[in-house]
Amino acid sequence: MKSLAYLFFTTMKNSLKELIKHPSRLIMYLIFIGLIVLVVVSSQLSDADTASVSYRSLNEFGAIVLALYTAMFVLMAHKGLTSGASFFSMPDVNLLFLSPVSPIKILLFGIVKQMGTSLMVGLFIFYQYSWMHNTYGISFGMLLFVFLGYCLTVFCAQLTAMAIYSFSCNSENRKKAIKGVLYAAGLLCAAYLVYPVLASGSSDLLGTVADRANSGILEWIPVAGWLKGAVIGALTAGSLHILTGFGLTLAYAAIVILLIAVSNTDYYEDVLQATEITYTAITAQKQGKAAEAIPKNVKVGRTGIGRGFGASTFFYKHLLENRRAGMFYLDISSIIFIVANCIFAFFMKDQGIIAIFAFVTYMQALSSFAGRWLKELLLPYVYLTPVSPFKKLISICGETLLKSAVESVVLYILIGFIIGASPVDIAFCIVARVGFSYLFMAVTILLERLFGSMTNRVMIILLYFLMVLIIAAPGMILGGILMVAIQAGFWLFLLCSLIWNLGIGSLIFYLCRNILNYAELNNQ
């Protein structure tokens, strides 16, 4: 046990030394903390006159918390049916799995490390304090309970994924049974929420769904329901709910850990694959590469691209890769993105299309670091093709723009139906979102052109958001001024933003076209 304690504290000490050797990381952490403080302080200052503030029902907030916890738990636990979950890194595997230390102690060491990781994963919740405070009156102390509940959800989900993988990795029948239980439970919960709305024909859909989500039955959903009950109990001073929720969650974690330790003490083979997959993904992100899941079973069918000539070949190549990956234009991440934004629009429909468009664009900026065009920059073929670099750059980005257009159409038609937006606003939201996607890609290319050799991806993300704000601001400011000056609708703001984004984006594309002349510019 002394060796594990030495490894743990030495790792922490070396992490602190790295901050001294790399001041940019320290600056990044300070900026990260400063932004959290800014969000909290600005929200408190804007709420000086609390007597005139009218907050929405906590039932809605409880439904949001339940949806977040349930989604995270199910998505992460579902990994147990494929690759499993791991609490270890590859250095841990190389040092610990070969050492003469009890497997149980090594498992406990991984669990202690994972607790810290779960805390880091949940830090994004602090950036949501502003709208939580202004909409539902959530104080910073209450936010800490939401944060704690989220961290425990992630931790228990990864424990569950490890247990599921250990139990089902050698049996397809067990995998099918577990998958059937998960799907059946999901359908029952959905039916429980939706049936009263359909049966009563109530016009208050939001209130009805929120009331059902806060009923006592759903609070018995393992982990997600327990923690949601504990969080709402903290908000309403319900000490019994707090003790029950956190107590059941801790008991669940202890039982799962005990089952893993007792049923399969030699769990090395179970976690090795998950560790390798996680390590590969992290390494790819640090190097600026986009990791892509490769199917285990590959069927050889028609070969060759078959379409395109010159630069357009890359566009058809990406479409073919999408087809072979088993998706049309929308992959799993796109569907999750659409569902999450529709849920937000459902709860915030009284705020209008402007607030919803702002939130959707913010989420779009967070997810813009993906796409087949980024992978293309790491391959030699695009540099060797004897075609104009500007045409090649536009062509490799074509698939991402097409995907963004399809995603925008589906998303805003659903949002328009939810909030009752006019067809004009829906149409302009669709084209404006595609324009922002074009601008986000242009900014990413500009960063690759200027900072292609930088390996600190967090610093690049901070620079990315700063550049997006600076470059997109003129179009949004002009649109806001014109909309107010001539008393026009929101469509004028979207039109001005679209024209500016397309113009400045095309200029950035053209000025950075030489990025495809020399592969050394993108040496990660």
Side-chain angles (χ1 to χ4, degrees):
M1 199 67 181
K2 291 182 180 179
S3 60
L4 295 178
Y6 172 80
L7 179 61
F8 179 77
F9 288 110
T10 301
T11 302
M12 293 182 60
K13 181 178 67 176
N14 290 338
S15 299
L16 294 177
K17 288 182 177 180
E18 285 295 315
L19 293 179
I20 301 176
K21 294 180 180 179
H22 301 87
S24 60
R25 295 185 182 179
L26 180 60
I27 295 173
M28 180 267 295
Y29 289 136
L30 292 176
I31 293 175
F32 182 80
I33 296 173
L35 290 175
I36 293 178
V37 173
L38 179 62
V39 169
V40 174
V41 172
S42 61
S43 299
Q44 295 289 348
L45 292 176
S46 64
D47 195 28
D49 187 12
T50 55
S52 61
V53 177
S54 178
Y55 298 117
R56 298 177 65 91
S57 171
L58 277 180
N59 280 351
E60 295 181 11
F61 185 74
I64 295 174
V65 171
L66 179 63
L68 174 64
Y69 290 177
T70 304
M72 291 304 302
F73 185 84
V74 172
L75 290 175
M76 299 186 74
H78 190 268
K79 291 182 180 180
L81 296 173
T82 53
S83 61
S86 175
F87 298 157
F88 304 95
S89 62
M90 285 306 295
D92 291 333
V93 170
N94 296 329
L95 290 173
L96 296 177
F97 283 18
L98 302 177
S99 63
V101 180
S102 168
I104 303 300
K105 293 180 180 179
I106 294 177
L107 177 60
L108 294 176
F109 171 80
I111 289 172
V112 171
K113 285 189 61 178
Q114 187 58 35
M115 290 180 181
T117 304
S118 299
L119 291 176
M120 295 297 294
V121 169
L123 288 178
F124 81 94
I125 290 180
F126 290 101
Y127 289 104
Q128 315 306 316
Y129 175 71
S130 179
W131 71 266
M132 289 184 184
H133 178 71
N134 295 329
T135 306
Y136 297 103
I138 304 300
S139 66
F140 187 77
M142 296 176 181
L143 183 67
L144 292 178
F145 278 94
V146 179
F147 168 72
L148 178 60
Y150 180 86
C151 295
L152 288 175
T153 300
V154 172
F155 176 70
C156 290
Q158 292 184 319
L159 271 179
T160 305
M162 181 183 289
I164 290 175
Y165 186 78
S166 299
F167 178 74
S168 64
C169 62
N170 296 320
S171 174
E172 287 297 326
N173 291 331
R174 290 179 180 178
K175 288 184 179 180
K176 291 179 181 179
I178 294 173
K179 191 178 295 185
V181 170
L182 290 176
Y183 290 161
L187 289 175
L188 287 175
C189 290
Y192 180 79
L193 290 173
V194 175
Y195 176 75
V197 178
L198 300 178
S200 63
S202 174
S203 58
D204 186 14
L205 300 180
L206 179 59
T208 304
V209 172
D211 290 340
R212 297 287 285 186
N214 285 274
S215 64
I217 295 178
L218 293 186
E219 288 189 0
W220 288 104
I221 297 176
V223 181
W226 301 338
L227 290 173
K228 175 262 175 185
V231 169
I232 298 302
L235 302 184
T236 58
S239 56
L240 180 60
H241 285 80
I242 298 175
L243 294 176
T244 302
F246 286 122
L248 288 174
T249 302
L250 295 178
Y252 174 89
I255 292 173
V256 174
I257 293 172
L258 182 62
L259 290 175
I260 294 173
V262 172
S263 64
N264 186 12
T265 55
D266 187 16
Y267 56 86
Y268 293 154
E269 292 296 331
D270 295 341
V271 302
L272 184 58
Q273 181 186 12
T275 303
E276 291 176 345
I277 293 173
T278 303
Y279 180 76
T280 302
I282 292 175
T283 303
Q285 290 177 356
K286 287 182 178 179
Q287 295 176 350
K289 302 176 183 178
E292 182 179 9
I294 299 175
K296 295 181 180 180
N297 301 319
V298 179
K299 296 181 180 180
V300 179
R302 179 169 56 90
T303 60
I305 299 175
R307 291 185 294 175
F309 182 80
S312 64
T313 306
F314 293 100
F315 172 72
Y316 291 108
K317 170 178 173 288
H318 294 164
L319 294 183
L320 180 61
E321 290 171 343
N322 287 344
R323 181 178 64 81
R324 288 178 175 174
M327 63 181 185
F328 184 55
Y329 291 114
L330 301 179
D331 54 12
I332 297 298
S333 61
S334 298
I335 295 174
I336 294 175
F337 178 87
I338 291 173
V339 171
N341 282 283
C342 287
I343 292 174
F344 176 84
F346 181 74
F347 283 101
M348 303 300 293
K349 61 181 181 180
D350 293 339
Q351 303 297 319
I353 188 66
I354 297 178
I356 294 174
F357 181 83
F359 178 82
V360 171
T361 305
Y362 167 73
M363 295 298 295
Q364 180 187 4
L366 292 177
S367 61
S368 63
F369 286 95
R372 297 193 179 276
W373 69 276
L374 281 173
K375 303 181 184 71
E376 208 66 55
L377 298 179
L378 305 172
L379 301 175
Y381 314 110
V382 70
Y383 303 98
L384 299 177
T385 305
V387 185
S388 165
F390 184 64
K391 292 181 180 179
K392 290 189 291 186
L393 191 58
I394 294 297
S395 182
I396 65 173
C397 295
E399 178 267 340
T400 302
L401 282 174
L402 178 60
K403 177 183 174 182
S404 176
V406 174
E407 191 177 280
S408 300
V409 171
V410 175
L411 174 62
Y412 276 106
I413 287 178
L414 292 175
I415 289 178
F417 175 77
I418 292 172
I419 68 175
S422 67
V424 174
D425 285 340
I426 294 174
F428 274 97
C429 282
I430 291 173
V431 295
R433 187 179 185 276
V434 176
F436 273 105
S437 179
Y438 187 71
L439 178 65
F440 294 156
M441 279 195 297
V443 173
T444 306
I445 290 173
L446 180 60
L447 283 173
E448 290 287 339
R449 182 65 178 84
L450 297 177
F451 307 104
S453 61
M454 182 182 293
T455 58
N456 191 333
R457 304 306 296 177
V458 178
M459 186 62 68
I460 289 180
I461 291 174
L462 291 176
L463 290 173
Y464 163 79
F465 278 105
L466 180 62
M467 294 178 69
V468 164
L469 288 175
I470 294 175
I471 294 175
M476 294 188 292
I477 293 174
L478 178 61
I481 293 175
L482 291 178
M483 185 177 67
V484 174
I486 65 177
Q487 297 296 314
F490 184 55
W491 63 267
L492 182 59
F493 172 86
L494 298 175
L495 179 61
C496 292
S497 295
L498 173 66
I499 295 174
W500 172 261
N501 291 341
L502 292 178
I504 195 67
S506 298
L507 179 62
I508 293 174
F509 268 95
Y510 182 77
L511 294 177
C512 296
R513 67 191 183 282
N514 288 333
I515 194 174
L516 296 182
N517 275 350
Y518 308 101
E520 290 78 7
L521 291 175
N522 306 308
N523 181 21
Q524 299 289 336

